[in-house]
């Protein structure tokens, strides 16, 4: 793929990935076929900051886990009221990294 396209994509979507993952994402995008570009651009990446806000406001009922795609954990969090509040507080610190990891997995599916 064209280096300029990849750099523009990374500049506009860097917040969706861990800083340590950006070099890996760049290598994979450069090696990707040009025909996959449309799918890569249309990938529904979740904003970690938005997920954190949802986690703070409604983390006790598991909505944050449903949004990142962890349906099983979302149901468990819903049934236990956020692990009696403890799991919800722990997720405030972990949910942004989890969201970024899920974004990387989603991008890898397109590559």
């Amino acid at each position: 793929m064209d280096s300029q396209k990849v750099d523009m994509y990374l500049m506009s979507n860097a917040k969706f990935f861990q800083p340590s993952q950006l070099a890996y994402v760049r290598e994979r995008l450069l090696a990707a076929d040009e025909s996959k570009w449309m799918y890569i651009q249309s990938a529904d990446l979740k904003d970690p900051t938005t997920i954190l806000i949802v986690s703070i406001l409604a983390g006790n009922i598991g909505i944050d886990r449903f949004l990142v795609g962890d349906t099983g954990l979302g149901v468990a969090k819903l049934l236990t009221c956020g692990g009696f509040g403890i799991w919800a507080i722990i997720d405030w610190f972990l949910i942004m990294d989890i969201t970024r990891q899920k974004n990387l997995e989603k991008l890898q599916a397109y590559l």
Side-chain angles (χ1 to χ4, degrees):
M1 199 174 303
D2 183 29
S3 174
Q4 188 175 6
K5 277 185 186 179
V6 170
D7 291 338
M8 289 297 289
Y9 178 82
L10 287 177
M11 282 182 8
S12 61
N13 294 310
K15 68 179 180 177
F16 297 120
F17 304 105
Q18 294 281 358
S20 61
Q21 296 171 339
L22 289 176
Y24 172 75
V25 170
R26 187 174 193 282
E27 289 175 20
R28 291 293 307 265
L29 287 173
L30 286 172
D33 188 21
E34 192 73 34
S35 63
K36 296 180 181 182
W37 181 245
M38 185 174 61
Y39 298 113
I40 292 168
Q41 283 186 320
S42 65
D44 182 31
L45 302 176
K46 306 290 184 194
D47 187 2
T49 308
T50 304
I51 301 296
L52 175 64
I53 292 169
V54 169
S55 182
I56 291 169
L57 297 176
N60 285 338
I61 57 176
I63 292 176
D64 53 348
R65 290 296 184 148
F66 285 115
L67 285 176
V68 296
D70 289 337
T71 307
L73 292 176
V75 169
K77 203 170 173 182
L78 176 64
L79 294 176
T80 62
C81 292
F84 305 109
I86 297 169
W87 188 0
I89 293 170
I90 291 171
D91 263 355
W92 294 348
F93 299 98
L94 300 178
I95 199 70
M96 289 182 75
D97 291 335
I98 293 167
T99 306
R100 289 182 176 125
Q101 184 63 35
K102 293 289 184 177
N103 285 338
L104 179 64
E105 291 171 7
K106 194 177 292 186
L107 184 66
Q108 285 176 337
Y110 288 114
L111 296 173

